[in-house]
Amino acid sequence: MKIKNTTTHYSSFSIVLHWLMFILIVTVFGSIELRELFDKGTETRDAFKMWHFMLGLSVLALVVVRLVVRVLAGSTPAIKPEPAKWQNTLAKLVHLALYVFMISMPIAGWLILSMAGKPVPFFGLELPPLASENKDLAKTIKEIHETVGEVGYYLIGLHAAAALFHHYILADNTLKRMLPLKK
């Protein structure tokens, strides 16, 4: 699997990471939303919450890999025809916001569990707490985490809508650069 981008396409490794991250984030959101279908204190509800925690921490691990690959992959493939400068600036801001989201949300979740005095599960392991117990601060961080999570829906939607706008309206190669190559 190639790591270096070409002038027209992201590397196969970058593409796999992008779409894997998409599936992972959808699953993180889905697990926390689906828990609402079950009564508090039930095993099923608790299992959905545990999956939310573990998959959220997986986002953190995968985003670190993505950042390393982004550096190793070289320059990003050019968009043809080149978009307006304001579109490039907006795209960079949205990508930055997505990376901040993918890093800060799992860390906030880890802090919430740590400060609530709860275990931090990660696929059979228990991660160490990031901070000492402080239930009041945990509650505040949880409220922020939930609000930022709701904003995340719009941020991800904006990212997807922009890709579709570029593909279907502007007819440039923005989306094609992140799709698997046809052999």
Side-chain angles (χ1 to χ4, degrees):
M1 197 173 293
K2 294 188 321 182
I3 289 184
K4 289 281 189 192
N5 295 331
T6 69
T7 57
T8 60
H9 221 76
Y10 283 96
S11 72
S12 55
F13 198 60
S14 294
I15 292 168
V16 167
L17 285 174
H18 177 272
W19 293 108
L20 181 60
M21 184 68 81
F22 168 73
I23 292 166
L24 191 56
I25 290 172
V26 167
T27 307
V28 169
F29 274 116
S31 62
I32 204 63
E33 295 295 341
L34 289 172
R35 89 186 190 298
E36 293 292 332
L37 299 175
F38 303 94
D39 293 329
K40 288 185 179 183
T42 61
E43 279 187 38
T44 306
R45 183 181 176 106
D46 290 343
F48 274 109
K49 284 173 35 180
M50 184 177 67
W51 278 104
H52 176 76
F53 303 147
M54 293 188 304
L55 294 171
L57 290 167
S58 298
V59 167
L60 181 60
L62 197 57
V63 78
V64 170
V65 173
R66 281 192 73 177
L67 287 168
V68 169
V69 169
R70 189 173 175 125
V71 169
L72 296 176
S75 60
T76 59
I79 299 174
K80 299 290 182 189
E82 189 173 340
K85 187 174 179 169
W86 69 268
Q87 289 176 333
N88 282 330
T89 302
L90 184 58
K92 287 177 183 173
L93 289 173
V94 170
H95 280 105
L96 176 63
L98 283 166
Y99 276 101
V100 168
F101 177 79
M102 292 183 290
I103 293 167
S104 65
M105 288 297 281
I107 291 172
W110 194 344
L111 279 170
I112 292 164
L113 291 175
S114 299
M115 293 179 165
K118 296 180 180 176
V120 183
F122 190 68
F123 300 103
L125 302 173
E126 187 176 315
L127 300 180
L130 290 180
S132 58
E133 195 170 319
N134 183 335
K135 292 188 188 236
D136 289 335
L137 187 52
K139 185 178 178 183
T140 301
I141 295 171
K142 183 178 180 184
E143 290 171 3
I144 294 167
H145 183 76
E146 290 171 354
T147 301
V148 173
E150 290 176 23
V151 171
Y153 285 118
Y154 296 103
L155 185 60
I156 293 164
L158 175 62
H159 177 68
L164 295 173
F165 175 77
H166 277 269
H167 187 72
Y168 290 107
I169 306 300
L170 298 180
D172 65 24
N173 68 336
T174 297
L175 179 60
K176 291 178 185 174
R177 299 175 312 151
M178 191 49 82
L179 294 176
L181 286 170
K182 292 180 182 175
K183 300 283 178 176

